[in-house]
Amino acid sequence: MADPFATAARRPALAAHASGAARASLTPAGPATRLSLRAKPEAVPALSAALGLDLPTQPKRAARQGERHALWLGPDEWLVIDESEAPLLQALDGAGVLHSAVDISHRNAAILVSGAGAAAVLNSGCPLNLSPAVFPIGACARTVLSKAEIVLYRTGETDFRVECWRSFAPYVLAVLAEAAAEV
Amino acid sequence: MTGANRIAGAGRLTPAKTARFSFDGRSYTALAGDTVASALLANGVHLMGRSFKYHRPRGVVSAGPEEPNALINVSRDTARSQPNVRATVQEVFDGMKVGSQNRYPSLSFDLGGVNDALSPFFAAGFYYKTFMWPKQAWASIYEPRIREAAGLGVSPTEEDPDHYACRYAHCDVLVIGGGAAGLAAARAAALSGASVILADEQPELGGALHFDTGAEIDGQNGYAWAQKTARELVGMENVTLLSRTTAFGYYAQNFVAMAERVTDHISRPEANAPRERLWQVRAKRVIIATGSIERHMVFADNDRPGILLASAARTYLNHFGVAVGRKVGVYTAHDSAYEAAFDLKRAGVSIVAIIDSRMRPGEGLLEQARSLGIEVFTDHAVIATSGRLRVASMTVVPNGGSAKRKFTIDALITSSGWTPSVHMFSQSRGKVAYDAATGRFLPGHYVQDCVSVGTCNGTDDLQAILEEATAAGVKMAAESGHDGAAAATPAGRNLFAWTGGMAGAAYGAGPDDSVKAFVDFQNDVCAKDIRLAVREGMHSIEHIKRFTTNGMATDQGKLSNLHGLAIAAEALGRGIPEVGLTTFRAPYTPVTFGTLIGHARGDIFDPTRKTPMHAVEEANGAAFEDVGQWKRAWYYPRAGEDMHAAVNRECRTVRTSAGYFNASTLGKIEVVGPDAAAFLNLIYTNSWDTLKPGRCRYGIMLREDGFVYDDGVVGRIAEDRFHVTTTTGGAPRVMHHMEDYLQTEFPHLDVWLTSTTEQWAVIAVQGPKAREIVAPLVEGVDLSNEAFPHMSVAEAKVCGVPARLFRVSFTGELGYEINVPADYGAAVWEAVAKAAEPFGACPYGTETMHVLRAEKGYIIVGQDTDGTLTPDDAGLAWAVGKKKPDFVGIRGLKRPDLIREGRKQLVGLLTKDPNIVLEEGAQIVADPNQPKPMTMLGHVTSAYWSENAGRSIALAVVAGGRAKLGQTLYVPMPDRTIAVEVSDMVFIDKEGGRIHG
C-alpha cells in the first residue's frame, strides 16, 4: 500500500473514457479550476482585467480567452472555468473591487458532447432551443437535463460542454449516453 | 396468396413483399404495408373483438385511429406485449402475434355474450343503481368483478424491455396533419423560409387522399401528389417530417406533445432504436390540418361485424387492395358513400343497393349509379340486420313506411357525414362554433397562435382547401418572421362536390327501448340509452355523457359524440348548439406509459447521488441508506454482524477509541461579502458579530412563523467569509430560503451565497483518539486544546491538499471534520482509515451517528422537530439572541400561541424497563386507562438502544414536558403499555467534559 500520508491523489467523478455513438461522442472533461464569481456591474472592468478576459454582460453569453472561459449565469454571476488549471482565486486577489469568488473546481464535473447529433442528444432532456440562430457558439445557459440542473455551453458548431454538480455527473452521463444511442 | 379478398391490381401495396402473422393462434399472410385490420379483412376476417359491456361480436368499423371496435393485443414475445392496440393503426410485421381481447373462451364463442341476452337489465346507469350497497362491497367485490367482465385487454405482467426516447424541439411553424391541407401549408411555410415540423399519424402522408382516388392535384392523382410533396419536404433543410407521429396534446403557448411510433412496425428493430419517441414541440405558430372523421349511421343492430364506414371500405380497397365483402350494401345520408360504392363496383364487387335516407342525393351521383347498374333507394332506411358473427342481411323500409325488403349482403358500408376533427383546436382552448347550415361544429374563437385549415375548418372543396392551406402557410411563416419565396397554390379537383349528412338516430332506431342502435360502439351505448338518460333527469350533456358513458371510451367518442349530442338534443327538445359539446381532452389517441416516461426508468429514473468516498465505502462492505437522492453509508457490518451488532460496536468504538464518518452530504454554503455577518444576523437567531475568524458557532434559523427551519455549524473563515453548514436534506431549500431573503428583503447588503456542498468531501473523526489519528495528516495547524479548541476552524493542508479543518462534534466527543476538495475525498478517507487502524478506530455510518447524537441530546431538525417547534420548545432558547433587534422569525416568536404555557417541549424518555426500545412516532399519554379517544400529550421522535448507556433512550415532544421531569407517563402500544420516565435529553457525559478532551 502506498504511503497514506503522502499527497492524496485525485479521483474524478467520472472515469476518463469517452463513450457515445457515431453521431455524438461523450467525453468527461479533464480537471479545471472553476470559480463562482459574483459582483456588481461597477466591478466588472477590474475583474475582467484581473482575469484577462472581458466578463460578458450580455445574458447567456460566454467570453473565452485561450483555455479560460467566463459564462454569464445571471446579472451578477459568472462561472469562470480555466481548463489549464491556472489558479483563479489568486488571480482575483489583487482586483481591488468588491466581489465574491468561491472555488468550485471540485463541485462541478463536465462532459463534452460533440458531433452532428450533439444538439439532438441534449434536446432529449433539455428543453432549450439549441438551433445555431438561437444558441450560437459562445452561448451558455443554466438549464436542466431531465432531472438534473446543468450549465450548457456551446463551444463549437457541434460541440457543447455540460457542467453539473459532481454527484449528478453519472446521471447526466447516463441520460446523454442513452440519447446518444438513438439519435 | 395474401387473402381471398385481395383484389388483383387494386391498392398500393407490393404483392411480392409479404409478412406472416398470427391472429388468435391462426397464421395469416399479409402484404408489407398492411395494417392488422386490412390483412385480416383480406383474409375474410371481420370479427376482431367483443364489445365492452354486452360482449357482442364486433368487426372493424374504420380504417384509422378513430377505430372503436378492433382493439387487439400485439406481441413480439412474452415481455413485449401491448393490449388495446387499434388494428387499423398497427402495421403488420413479420412474426407478430395478434390476440383478440375481452372474450372467453374464444372470440367466436364467448361466455360473456350472455350479457347481451341480459341486456334489458344493463340499461344506462345500471351499475350506479345496482351496486349501491353494501358500501364496502363496491371496492372488494363489485368493482373487481365488473372490471374483469367488462373491459379491454390485459396488461403485460413482465417488465417492458423496450426503451423509449424523448425529444424537445422548436420550430417556426408546426403543421399537425399531413393530408392535402397539411402538405400544402407545410410546403408554403417551408418555401417562405420558416423552420417547419410536419407530423402525421400514418406511415405515408396523404390523409384522405389514401382513399379519395377521385381527387386530382396539379394534374396528377392526389395520393401521388402527396408522396411527391412529402419527398420535396424531406429534402428541405428547414423541414422535419415526422410520419407515424400523433399530436396528442396541445398545451399552453403552442406547446404540443406528439408520440412517434419508431419501431412498432418493424419485425426486428435495431437494439438501440427506441420503440416510441415523445416529442415536445414549442412552435411559434401551429397549423391544424387534422381533417374530418366519418360518422356511422345509427340504426338497429348496426354493430354486426361486416358493417363499417364507407370511407374505410374505400381505404381498404384503394390503398390496401382489399374488398370488404362480395355483396355489399350501402346505407348513407351523405354523398361520400356513393363514391365508395362506385369504387367497389368498378373493382368487381357487387353493390346490392344504396339505401339513402335523403330524398335528394348530390348532383350527378344518381346518374353515375345508374350507369354502373347500382340500385338506389332514396328516402329509405335500414331498420334491421341479421348475422351473428358477420352481417348476412339488411331489412329496408321507406322512411316512415313499413313495407319491408330484405337484402342478402356480406358487408354493409355506412356514412352519415363527416365530423371536422376539432380536437387539437379545442385542446388549444379555442371555442368551437356550431354551423347550422352544415350541422357541424367548426373552429370559432382562437386563443393561441394557431389556425385551422382544410376539412377540420369546414372547408370542403379541394381547390378551396389548397388555397386556404397555402395562404395559411405563407401567413404563419410571415408571422414567425419569414417571408421568403411564396409558394404557388396547387390546383385541386374533386370528382363530386359532397353534400348531405345527418347526426342522430335514423328512422327505425327507436324510440322504443328494445332496439339496439349503437351510438358508441366501444362503450356499448345505444340511442335508447341516451333517451333514457334524458328521461331520468339528465339535462346537461356532461351528465348525459357520464350517465351513459357515451364518448368516454378510449376512442373518446370520435364517432359517437355528435350522434349522442343530436339524440340528446332531440329528446330534450332543444337545439344542438344549446345542448353543447363536451370538452375535448388530451390525449387525442391513447399514449403508452413508456412514451410518457421516456428514459426515466431503472437506474436513471432519478439521479442517484453518491459521495466521493462511495466506492471505497462500498468496497469496505458498507450498507447504504437513501437520504433524499443521496446514498449514505448506514453501517459497516463485519463478518457475522447484523445491523444491531454493527451499530453497537461502532457506537462503543467511537466513545472508547474513535470513529470516522463520511459527512460529505452535509449542505454547505459559502457566504462572502463585507455584509456577510450582518446577513447571518438576520437569517439566524443568534448573533454573529462577535464570532472571530477561526471560530465556529452553532446556529438555528427559523421561518417567518417562528418555527425551527434548519440548524448547523457556521465557521468564520475570514472577516468577510463564512462557511455555513446545513442539514443534508435541507441543503437546497436553505440555500433558496437565504437567497430569497437576500434578494427580496435584504437587497441592500453586500453579500453573495454560493453552494459548496459538493466542493468539499467531509470526513468527521470523532472520539478520544481523534487528535492522535488526525494529527499526522495535518500540516499548518497546532491541534492542541489551547491553540485549536472546540469550535475552531482553520485552513490547513491535510494529506498535502488544501483543506478546511473544523474542530466540531456531533457525538459529544473530541472531534474534527476534515473538508478537502471533493476529488481528494476518497484518498484522504483511505489515509484516515490507515491512521485510525492502530487505535482500533472504525468507520461508522448514519445509524451510529444518530445514536451518538441522541445520547447527547443533539436534535436532528426534521426528525425531532416537525415544523411546529420553536427554539424554546426544542430546548434551544439559549441560541436565540435576546438583544437582537431583528431576524427572520422574530415576530413569529412573539405570537401568543408560541409563548403560552403547556406547549409541547422536547424531553428525554427513559423506559422503566431499560431493555424496551420505544417506537418512533408512538403516542404518549398521562393515564393509559382513560377512555378512548385518549388525550395525547405528545409523541416519541427518536428512540434507540444505547450501547454506551446500556439501556434504551428516547427523545420525545411532550406537552409541558420540561415541567414533567421525573414523572411517569405511558406509551400505549397495540400489544402492551410501556411506562416511561421523563428525563433530560443528555444520557451520556452529562457534564460535557469529553468534547473538550
Side-chain angles (χ1 to χ4, degrees):
Chain A
M1 184 162 177
D3 176 7
F5 307 136
T7 300
R10 271 186 94 148
R11 287 180 215 172
L14 296 173
H17 66 84
S19 60
R23 287 180 35 84
S25 66
L26 308 172
T27 314
T33 39
R34 296 180 180 88
L35 279 188
S36 170
L37 179 61
R38 311 288 301 271
K40 296 180 180 182
E42 54 266 31
V44 167
L47 294 171
S48 295
L51 286 169
L53 50 65
D54 287 331
L55 287 175
T57 50
Q58 203 190 330
K60 298 170 76 174
R61 297 294 305 178
R64 175 174 194 168
Q65 188 63 51
E67 296 196 89
R68 189 168 289 186
H69 312 261
L71 284 61
W72 185 99
L73 294 185
D76 66 346
E77 181 176 4
W78 295 266
L79 169 62
V80 186
I81 303 169
D82 192 303
E83 293 180 275
S84 69
E85 294 192 83
L88 289 168
L89 266 181
Q90 292 82 336
L92 288 170
D93 271 350
V97 287
L98 185 60
H99 70 277
S100 157
V102 176
D103 181 13
I104 52 167
S105 304
H106 290 241
R107 185 188 78 176
N108 287 14
I111 298 160
L112 308 177
V113 187
S114 284
V121 166
L122 290 161
N123 272 143
S124 76
C126 174
L128 289 185
N129 184 350
L130 300 181
S131 66
V134 176
F135 201 81
I137 296 170
C140 61
R142 182 155 44 195
T143 177
V144 294
L145 184 87
S146 296
K147 296 180 184 174
E149 180 182 303
I150 60 166
V151 170
L152 182 62
Y153 172 32
R154 186 175 216 141
T155 54
E157 208 165 302
T158 59
D159 304 294
F160 295 85
R161 182 182 180 97
V162 177
E163 290 262 333
C164 63
W165 286 9
R166 197 182 193 287
S167 68
F168 288 95
Y171 169 82
V172 168
L173 182 62
V175 168
L176 293 172
E178 180 155 326
E182 61 94 1
V183 296
Chain B
M1 190 63 195
T2 58
N5 293 322
R6 196 78 71 173
I7 308 264
R12 305 187 181 98
L13 309 187
T14 313
K17 292 189 204 160
T18 59
R20 298 286 294 173
F21 74 104
S22 69
F23 178 59
D24 280 348
R26 203 171 147 188
S27 185
Y28 295 95
T29 305
L31 292 182
D34 259 329
T35 62
V36 171
S38 70
L40 287 174
L41 288 175
N43 288 284
V45 178
H46 272 264
L47 176 63
M48 295 189 200
R50 286 274 175 170
S51 73
F52 189 80
K53 186 164 140 190
Y54 302 135
H55 288 244
R56 281 167 73 100
R58 287 284 166 80
V60 68
V61 166
S62 74
E66 68 271 31
E67 176 60 33
N69 281 346
L71 301 185
I72 51 169
N73 189 90
V74 174
S75 56
R76 292 178 188 276
D77 48 47
T78 50
R80 290 178 176 84
S81 171
Q82 192 190 351
N84 307 333
V85 176
R86 289 151 297 156
T88 51
V89 172
Q90 175 65 51
E91 294 165 66
V92 172
F93 58 80
D94 200 48
M96 85 190 290
K97 291 187 188 66
V98 179
S100 60
Q101 303 181 157
N102 199 30
R103 83 288 186 270
Y104 178 84
S106 75
L107 188 54
S108 54
F109 178 72
D110 173 21
L111 286 177
V114 68
N115 279 10
D116 193 28
L118 299 174
S119 62
F121 304 104
F122 287 127
F126 165 74
Y127 297 114
Y128 303 131
K129 296 171 200 159
T130 310
F131 298 108
M132 294 270 290
W133 356 243
K135 200 177 161 195
Q136 304 87 310
W138 177 254
S140 60
I141 301 170
Y142 298 148
E143 188 181 332
R145 304 302 301 175
I146 293 168
R147 280 193 188 280
E148 208 170 272
L152 300 164
V154 179
S155 298
T157 50
E158 289 178 43
E159 194 180 335
D160 185 351
D162 283 318
H163 64 278
Y164 298 82
C166 42
R167 190 77 61 84
Y168 290 95
H170 292 73
C171 64
D172 293 320
V173 180
L174 168 67
V175 182
I176 304 174
L183 283 165
R187 184 172 179 274
L191 286 174
S192 299
S195 63
V196 174
I197 295 177
L198 169 60
D200 188 84
E201 60 196 349
Q202 292 191 273
E204 322 83 6
L205 286 267
L209 300 170
H210 275 82
F211 64 81
D212 192 3
T213 43
E216 209 174 77
I217 302 176
D218 278 350
Q220 57 183 321
N221 168 273
Y223 183 82
W225 173 85
Q227 305 319 305
K228 188 192 72 140
T229 306
R231 279 193 300 276
E232 181 187 351
L233 290 171
V234 167
M236 295 174 77
E237 209 166 77
N238 53 335
V239 177
T240 304
L241 193 151
L242 299 170
S243 59
R244 297 187 177 93
T245 303
T246 306
F248 65 81
Y250 197 134
Y251 305 96
Q253 293 168 320
N254 277 353
F255 192 65
V256 178
M258 319 197 294
E260 179 187 7
R261 294 173 296 280
V262 183
T263 57
D264 271 354
H265 61 291
I266 298 172
S267 182
R268 273 170 291 277
E270 283 175 45
N272 281 340
R275 183 173 163 230
E276 295 180 306
R277 183 183 283 121
L278 174 69
W279 288 83
Q280 295 177 84
V281 179
R282 181 80 67 185
K284 285 184 186 160
R285 294 290 184 276
V286 175
I287 297 176
I288 303 170
T290 46
S292 301
I293 294 171
E294 195 172 28
R295 293 186 305 276
H296 60 292
M297 294 289 288
V298 178
F299 59 101
D301 294 332
N302 60 342
D303 67 329
R304 298 188 193 279
I307 304 179
L308 67 172
L309 295 172
S311 62
R314 220 178 160 203
T315 303
Y316 290 121
L317 179 68
N318 292 339
H319 188 74
F320 298 102
V322 172
V324 296
R326 289 287 156 190
K327 294 188 299 259
V328 177
V330 182
Y331 184 25
T332 188
H334 190 263
D335 292 347
S336 61
Y338 283 78
E339 285 204 67
F342 300 162
D343 286 353
L344 284 164
K345 177 77 180 176
R346 287 192 206 97
V349 173
S350 164
I351 300 298
V352 175
I354 296 177
I355 315 303
D356 195 327
S357 71
R358 303 169 297 171
M359 310 259 239
R360 267 181 296 278
E363 216 165 297
L365 291 168
L366 291 177
E367 203 175 305
Q368 179 84 26
R370 205 173 305 122
S371 74
L372 284 166
I374 301 172
E375 202 175 356
V376 179
F377 295 85
T378 54
D379 202 15
H380 275 61
V382 176
I383 56 153
T385 64
S386 72
R388 197 173 72 86
L389 301 178
R390 173 95 179 249
V391 66
S393 75
M394 62 176 179
T395 304
V396 175
V397 297
N399 275 339
S402 56
K404 291 178 186 169
R405 274 187 70 166
K406 192 168 175 179
F407 296 90
T408 300
I409 52 175
D410 63 1
L412 175 55
I413 63 175
T414 81
S415 175
S416 66
W418 294 78
T419 309
S421 187
V422 294
H423 299 72
M424 282 292 121
F425 168 77
S426 191
Q427 280 191 32
S428 82
R429 300 273 162 199
K431 295 275 169 285
V432 293
Y434 188 69
D435 181 42
T438 56
R440 55 193 179 180
F441 286 95
L442 296 172
H445 177 67
Y446 284 84
V447 173
Q448 298 205 40
D449 289 329
C450 59
V451 64
S452 300
V453 297
T455 63
C456 73
N457 194 37
T459 310
D460 299 320
D461 174 65
L462 185 55
Q463 182 60 36
I465 288 172
L466 293 168
E467 283 168 15
E468 178 180 77
T470 304
V474 170
K475 181 165 181 279
M476 294 288 105
E479 286 181 13
S480 62
H482 301 273
D483 44 13
T489 303
R493 197 170 60 82
N494 291 104
L495 277 184
F496 296 94
W498 293 347
T499 64
M502 68 170 292
Y507 172 73
D512 77 84
D513 51 11
S514 64
V515 169
K516 285 208 191 77
F518 285 88
V519 175
D520 184 322
F521 293 116
Q522 200 175 107
N523 266 355
D524 276 345
V525 179
C526 299
K528 65 185 170 65
D529 297 319
I530 292 168
R531 296 189 188 108
L532 175 69
V534 172
R535 283 204 304 278
E536 297 211 348
M538 311 294 149
H539 288 182
S540 154
I541 193 66
E542 297 288 355
H543 289 152
I544 292 166
K545 167 180 166 175
R546 283 156 184 81
F547 191 74
T548 62
T549 71
N550 190 54
M552 288 173 69
T554 63
D555 67 339
Q556 296 210 357
K558 290 185 177 63
L559 269 56
S560 62
N561 276 348
L562 198 64
H563 281 316
L565 173 56
I567 295 165
E570 194 186 2
L572 287 164
R574 283 192 271 153
I576 285 177
E578 288 93 85
V579 177
L581 266 184
T582 53
T583 313
F584 292 89
R585 295 184 202 282
Y588 172 67
T589 52
V591 181
T592 64
F593 283 116
T595 301
L596 298 175
I597 290 162
H599 54 226
R601 52 188 296 208
D603 287 344
I604 49 175
F605 168 68
D606 204 40
T608 301
R609 303 177 70 184
K610 293 175 181 171
T611 70
M613 291 84 104
H614 187 89
V616 183
E617 293 174 318
E618 209 167 26
N620 288 346
F624 291 91
E625 69 166 335
D626 290 333
V627 180
Q629 292 175 324
W630 286 107
K631 292 276 178 205
R632 298 196 71 182
W634 196 8
Y635 56 96
Y636 295 80
R638 290 181 178 167
E641 280 184 342
D642 60 5
M643 176 174 172
H644 192 64
V647 170
N648 285 348
R649 172 183 50 74
E650 290 172 16
C651 285
R652 243 184 354 253
T653 307
V654 172
R655 295 220 190 275
T656 53
S657 170
Y660 48 101
F661 172 72
N662 179 358
S664 302
T665 62
L666 217 63
K668 301 165 211 77
I669 300 166
E670 192 103 326
V671 180
V672 181
D675 293 328
F679 174 68
L680 294 181
N681 279 340
L682 289 164
I683 289 293
Y684 285 93
T685 58
N686 31 4
S687 171
W688 301 89
D689 295 325
T690 54
L691 186 71
K692 294 193 168 54
R695 297 291 293 160
C696 304
R697 185 165 287 169
Y698 171 80
I700 50 175
M701 66 177 70
L702 311 180
R703 300 185 310 215
E704 198 73 274
D705 56 16
F707 294 126
V708 174
Y709 188 57
D710 204 73
D711 70 346
V713 168
V714 179
R716 190 165 200 169
I717 305 298
E719 276 299 325
D720 64 348
R721 187 176 291 256
F722 288 81
H723 180 119
V724 167
T725 66
T726 74
T727 56
T728 293
R733 62 178 164 77
V734 168
M735 179 78 187
H736 292 149
H737 171 83
M738 289 169 66
E739 191 68 52
D740 186 6
Y741 275 97
L742 178 56
Q743 291 187 23
T744 61
E745 300 292 327
F746 319 129
H748 56 285
L749 297 180
D750 281 332
V751 60
W752 290 277
L753 314 171
T754 305
S755 172
T756 50
T757 300
E758 296 224 39
Q759 167 69 14
W760 303 105
V762 184
I763 303 159
V765 184
Q766 303 276 314
K769 302 291 183 193
R771 183 182 291 111
E772 288 163 78
I773 292 168
V774 169
L777 309 177
V778 177
E779 280 172 63
V781 183
D782 174 358
L783 293 184
S784 67
N785 267 334
E786 297 68 39
F788 200 62
H790 180 54
M791 294 306 241
S792 296
V793 59
E795 292 190 287
K797 279 202 165 175
V798 175
C799 298
V801 299
R804 283 182 182 168
L805 184 66
F806 288 78
R807 167 124 186 232
V808 289
S809 175
F810 199 42
T811 59
E813 301 293 328
L814 162 67
Y816 300 91
E817 287 187 4
I818 303 167
N819 286 242
V820 289
D823 281 2
Y824 297 115
V828 174
W829 174 267
E830 284 172 343
V832 168
K834 188 82 181 162
E837 212 179 309
F839 300 95
C842 68
Y844 66 94
T846 49
E847 188 63 23
T848 292
M849 177 268 283
H850 276 114
V851 177
L852 294 173
R853 64 89 204 175
E855 288 174 348
K856 293 294 299 176
Y858 300 152
I859 67 160
I860 290 185
V861 172
Q863 174 167 340
D864 300 300
T865 71
D866 60 0
T868 66
L869 256 58
T870 67
D872 183 62
D873 298 341
L876 297 169
W878 57 268
V880 180
K882 305 290 178 297
K883 294 178 197 146
K884 287 182 69 174
D886 195 15
F887 58 82
V888 175
I890 194 168
R891 277 182 299 169
L893 281 183
K894 291 173 183 157
R895 290 190 287 149
D897 187 57
L898 267 61
I899 49 176
R900 70 174 164 80
E901 293 288 309
R903 284 185 60 80
K904 285 182 183 171
Q905 295 171 326
L906 261 182
V907 291
L909 291 184
L910 292 170
T911 49
K912 297 281 188 185
D913 176 348
N915 292 314
I916 297 176
V917 179
L918 293 169
E919 276 188 35
E920 290 173 358
Q923 296 290 323
I924 298 161
V925 300
D927 171 13
N929 299 315
Q930 65 186 296
K932 292 172 188 170
M934 297 187 187
T935 302
M936 315 284 196
L937 296 179
H939 68 275
V940 178
T941 62
S942 295
Y944 309 95
W945 171 258
S946 166
E947 184 73 357
N948 289 306
R951 58 157 302 128
S952 83
I953 57 169
L955 302 178
V957 287
V958 174
R962 288 200 291 273
K964 291 190 167 69
L965 284 189
Q967 291 183 18
T968 299
L969 300 176
Y970 298 90
V971 178
M973 299 301 288
D975 56 339
R976 59 183 169 174
T977 293
I978 303 165
V980 296
E981 186 184 311
V982 180
S983 74
D984 65 49
M985 290 164 62
V986 183
F987 304 99
I988 293 278
D989 183 28
K990 285 192 192 282
E991 304 73 32
R994 301 174 68 101
I995 208 164
H996 301 293

